[in-house]
Amino acid sequence: MFLPLCRKAASDMLLPYNIRAVMSRSALATILFAGLGITSSSAWAVHMPKVPELSASALEPFTQSDKQVWDAVVMLPDGRAVLEAPIWVGNTGPQLSVRQTDGSFAPYPDAAWNAEQSDPSQRIVSTAGMTLLADGTLWVLDSGVPNHKADAVAPAKLIQIDTKQNKVVRVVPIEASALHKESIVSGVAVHGNTAYVADSGVAGVLVIDLPSASARRFLDRHPAISATRPITTPTGPVTTADGHLLAIDSSMIAVSPDGKWIVLQPPGGYLSRVETTIFTDPDVTPAAMEESVTQWYKTPSLGGMTMGPDGTLYWSDISTGSILSYTIGRIPRRLITDPRLKWPATPGLDASGHLYVPAAQLNHTAAFQNGKASVEWPVTVYKLTLPTTPPPT
């Protein structure tokens, strides 16, 4: 899951693009330089190749719901799909469900973990992202914040699910010392014994050692992963229910297949890359940590991203209703633009060359519409057949 509604609206923002007044001087300097055209050349990568987009026939409905807004999908190797319906946008349970190969649905991993009232340590309080590992392990992030305009009602945690046995095998609490009062964890990536979690309430990255459940916070309020630009859709900038521009910090995160680097960004920001060794280097200085973030690509407003086993990134562009790819060689490609992709959210890949994209319509959910949703039902997850040939280099 990618996009939490920030508890701090933009009413206290005094600068262009509603930059928070509490922003650090270094962050402000970065933005002012950007406004003058003084930006790092590393941000530009390769220009978008002039490759024809896929035809509309490449995008077909996979599954639909007339009750839930899905904002993320994970495809299991056996053809089942795990779908996320976060409570904070106005959904009712289950927050996680599995679509069987026959098209039927069931709470996932079971009804007890999707209960609305029970021990918070033994249920999903507020889904905030999920990631599937090659061995069939599904890690689910629970923010503990079912109302993003209010405080947490339960501690944040990671839930490890064995998708072969369809059961929870471990719960990893996220240490409160790594969080701020206004933190809303949103987005998780896992490599080996390390989980990387994005904080979208107060910009930062949590690095969690899974065996010991110890967590450390890095890049706290770093300007590259803070909300400094408006989130834009085809109808204009996204606002909160009271009319202010929506401000969301880092909420999307992925780790490279070799575990050597992570990428992350806010929905309205740009893509940044960080070498993971910086988090384990005992001799790193604060200045080196601050400078470890490289702007990797000037993305549009994103609704979600996922990374393939070859390191290719797939982005859901909410500003145009598009799906884009971005190779490890930094080659971008706009795969398809389609009016059916209304706020495309976090996509999922299968092993047969298909990308599954929820058209989540998040800007029409109750969280964005002062409690009165205007979603056009049914909400659809689309199946996109990916091109078999790479873009030109």
Side-chain angles (χ1 to χ4, degrees):
M1 203 279 289
F2 77 101
L3 188 64
L5 187 60
C6 185
R7 287 194 292 269
K8 185 175 183 181
S11 58
D12 61 349
M13 300 179 184
L14 306 179
L15 299 170
Y17 297 122
N18 289 295
I19 301 162
R20 292 194 183 114
V22 297
M23 181 174 292
S24 68
R25 292 181 181 178
S26 62
L28 176 57
T30 299
I31 293 160
L32 292 177
F33 287 150
L36 294 172
I38 307 173
T39 57
S40 168
S41 60
S42 66
W44 284 106
V46 176
H47 290 292
M48 189 86 68
K50 293 182 178 179
V51 180
E53 293 187 21
L54 301 174
S55 65
S57 62
L59 188 71
E60 56 182 322
F62 169 67
T63 192
Q64 295 180 321
S65 174
D66 59 3
K67 298 177 180 178
Q68 290 193 313
V69 173
W70 295 315
D71 75 337
V73 59
V74 163
M75 298 302 300
L76 302 182
D78 58 11
R80 293 177 298 156
V82 180
L83 299 147
E84 180 180 85
I87 193 172
W88 72 268
V89 302
N91 281 310
T92 56
Q95 292 192 63
L96 279 189
S97 58
V98 61
R99 180 189 183 274
Q100 310 287 2
T101 54
D102 63 3
S104 62
F105 290 85
Y108 197 76
D110 55 38
W113 274 95
N114 285 272
E116 295 183 7
Q117 299 292 331
S118 62
D119 181 354
S121 68
Q122 298 297 311
R123 67 180 175 92
I124 299 168
V125 177
S126 183
T127 66
M130 54 184 176
T131 187
L132 182 69
L133 306 189
D135 64 359
T137 296
L138 180 68
W139 283 98
V140 176
L141 179 64
D142 182 351
S143 71
V145 189
N147 180 354
H148 287 178
K149 297 179 183 179
D151 293 337
V153 301
K157 60 182 179 288
L158 286 164
I159 303 166
Q160 182 182 6
I161 300 174
D162 182 335
T163 62
K164 297 174 183 177
Q165 300 184 62
N166 302 312
K167 70 176 185 178
V168 172
V169 294
R170 190 181 178 203
V171 175
V172 179
I174 297 177
E175 293 180 326
S177 60
L179 301 169
H180 293 287
K181 185 177 183 295
E182 293 187 343
S183 288
I184 306 175
V185 291
S186 177
V188 57
V190 175
H191 185 271
N193 288 323
T194 305
Y196 302 93
V197 172
D199 188 341
S200 62
V202 181
V205 177
L206 279 58
V207 179
I208 302 170
D209 178 71
L210 294 171
S212 66
S214 62
R216 298 181 64 194
R217 185 180 184 90
F218 296 92
L219 305 177
D220 191 48
R221 296 184 173 91
H222 194 287
I225 58 175
S226 299
T228 57
R229 298 169 59 233
I231 302 168
T232 304
T233 70
T235 58
V238 181
T239 59
T240 60
D242 55 8
H244 295 103
L245 288 177
L246 187 61
I248 299 173
D249 291 336
S250 51
S251 63
M252 286 167 274
I253 191 166
V255 61
S256 63
D258 58 10
K260 292 183 177 180
W261 45 269
I262 59 170
V263 290
L264 68 163
Q265 75 170 78
Y270 295 139
L271 184 74
S272 293
R273 188 172 105 149
V274 185
E275 299 286 341
T276 56
T277 53
I278 200 77
F279 303 131
T280 56
D281 185 348
D283 299 319
V284 66
T285 64
M289 180 64 69
E290 184 79 7
E291 295 172 358
S292 67
V293 182
T294 301
Q295 193 177 89
W296 207 236
Y297 193 73
K298 291 191 172 183
T299 57
S301 294
L302 298 187
M305 69 179 179
T306 195
M307 185 178 289
D310 63 351
T312 297
L313 280 165
Y314 295 92
W315 296 323
S316 297
D317 174 3
I318 63 175
S319 66
T320 60
S322 304
I323 304 299
L324 295 85
S325 63
Y326 190 61
T327 69
I328 56 172
R330 305 181 73 183
I331 306 296
R333 179 177 180 180
R334 190 173 299 275
L335 297 173
I336 193 169
T337 302
D338 195 289
R340 292 173 291 175
L341 294 174
K342 298 176 180 178
W343 200 301
T346 302
L349 282 162
D350 67 13
S352 304
H354 303 102
L355 193 73
Y356 298 78
V357 186
Q361 303 179 56
L362 288 190
N363 53 326
H364 291 283
T365 62
F368 291 83
Q369 299 293 324
N370 202 24
K372 298 179 180 178
S374 57
V375 174
E376 296 179 8
W377 303 102
V379 166
T380 302
V381 174
Y382 290 95
K383 177 181 176 181
L384 176 66
T385 301
L386 295 172
T388 57
T389 56
T393 59

